[in-house]
Amino acid sequence: MKEKLNGFSLEGAWQDLVGDELQKPYMVELEEFLAAQRKAGKNVYPSKTNIFNAFATTPFNEVKVCIVGQDPYHGSGQAHGYCFSVPPGIKIPPSLRNIYKEIETDIGKMSFESGCLLGWAKQGVLLLNSVLSVEEGKAGSHQGKGWEQFTNCVISLLNERHSNIVFLLWGNYAKQKGAQINRERHLVLESVHPSPLSAYNGFFGCRHFSQANSYLIDRGVKPIDWSGTN
C-alpha cells in the first residue's frame, strides 16, 4: 500500500515509518497549498512525480550518509527531488561545482561532467532538502508551509532508528536542522555552505568526503564512490 500526497507516493520502509505523517492536518494543508499554487498557474518545482525522489531512490534501511539541503532549485528544469543535484544535461550550479572541487581536493582528481547525483543516492546518500517544493524564480517561497515539520520527522527517525549515519550539514540552516542528532550514535560533519559566497570561509578544505568514508569503513560499511554521480 502507498500513501499519497497530491499525487506523490512513499513506498517500503519510508511508507511504514512516515506514511501516517502524510495524513496529519499540517500535511493536508500543505497539499491544499500546492494544489492552489498550481491552479493559480504558478510553476512549482520539482514536478509531482519527482518530489519524493530522494526517498524512492534511497530506501530507509540503506541510508549511509544524509546531506541536508534547504529547498529545491527554483529555475526551470533544475529541481528533480535531490538536494544539490540537477538532471543530466542541466548546467552544474555554482554550489555543486564547489562540492566537486572539494571532492577532488579531498580524494583526488575526478571528472564530473554532470550535475546529476543519482549515483550517490543509489549508494545510500539521502539527498534531503528541508523544504521539498518551491515556486519558480522565488527561492524559499514554500518555507513555513509544513515541509520542515515533515523533514524534521525524517531526520528524527534516522537519528533514532539507525546508527552510524554520516550527516553532512553545510551552512547555518542545515546545522540548525541537525541540532537534534545524537553525536555519539552518528557522525555529524559541519561547515559553511558550499555557495560561492561562503565556500572559501571553511567549506574548501573541510575534507568531509574522506572523513565520511573513513567512518563507514571503520564500521564495516562499504564507502561511497563520490565519483559515481549518475
Side-chain angles (χ1 to χ4, degrees):
M1 180 179 176
K2 301 178 181 179
E3 297 290 350
K4 294 191 175 182
L5 170 66
N6 202 27
F8 312 124
S9 63
L10 291 171
E11 301 179 356
W14 286 117
Q15 185 273 326
D16 295 337
L17 291 167
V18 299
D20 288 345
E21 199 74 14
L22 301 184
Q23 310 306 316
K24 293 183 177 180
Y26 81 92
M27 289 298 279
V28 174
E29 292 177 6
L30 174 58
E31 178 179 2
E32 293 171 350
F33 166 75
L34 293 173
Q37 289 275 292
R38 292 190 173 93
K39 186 175 181 179
K42 296 179 179 179
N43 291 324
V44 175
Y45 301 135
S47 66
K48 290 182 181 181
T49 54
N50 289 337
I51 202 164
F52 284 143
N53 270 352
F55 302 98
T57 307
T58 311
F60 179 82
N61 295 327
E62 297 179 15
V63 176
K64 302 177 185 178
V65 177
C66 179
I67 301 178
V68 179
Q70 191 160 344
D71 58 356
Y73 295 121
H74 54 83
S76 178
Q78 290 183 303
H80 66 143
Y82 309 95
C83 72
F84 291 105
S85 179
V86 292
I90 300 297
K91 183 179 179 181
I92 300 173
S95 291
L96 182 55
R97 286 196 178 278
N98 286 339
I99 291 171
Y100 286 169
K101 287 179 183 178
E102 175 58 22
I103 291 173
E104 291 189 328
T105 300
D106 187 11
I107 297 178
K109 186 68 176 177
M110 299 180 186
S111 177
F112 295 111
E113 297 179 356
S114 168
C116 180
L117 303 180
L118 184 60
W120 292 4
K122 290 179 177 178
Q123 296 180 71
V125 180
L126 182 65
L127 298 166
L128 180 68
N129 272 318
S130 301
V131 175
L132 301 187
S133 63
V134 70
E135 181 183 342
E136 181 179 20
K138 295 184 178 180
S141 52
H142 289 184
Q143 292 179 13
K145 303 299 183 182
W147 283 126
E148 293 93 340
Q149 186 172 340
F150 175 75
T151 53
N152 279 343
C153 175
V154 169
I155 292 174
S156 292
L157 286 166
L158 292 171
N159 179 46
E160 295 166 6
R161 303 203 183 191
H162 259 295
S163 59
N164 302 324
I165 290 178
V166 181
F167 289 88
L168 303 182
L169 309 179
W170 301 328
N172 290 332
Y173 188 93
K175 292 175 188 177
Q176 293 169 7
K177 190 80 172 174
Q180 62 182 295
I181 299 167
N182 185 335
R183 266 66 171 173
E184 295 181 0
R185 191 178 179 90
H186 306 281
L187 176 63
V188 179
L189 300 175
E190 300 181 346
S191 81
V192 299
H193 196 276
S195 161
L197 297 175
S198 56
Y200 285 94
N201 293 322
F203 180 77
F204 290 139
C206 69
R207 305 189 68 85
H208 282 180
F209 304 95
S210 61
Q211 289 184 65
N213 278 352
S214 293
Y215 181 85
L216 295 174
I217 291 169
D218 287 347
R219 283 151 185 82
V221 178
K222 184 178 180 180
I224 305 300
D225 176 6
W226 296 107
S227 69
T229 53
N230 53 36

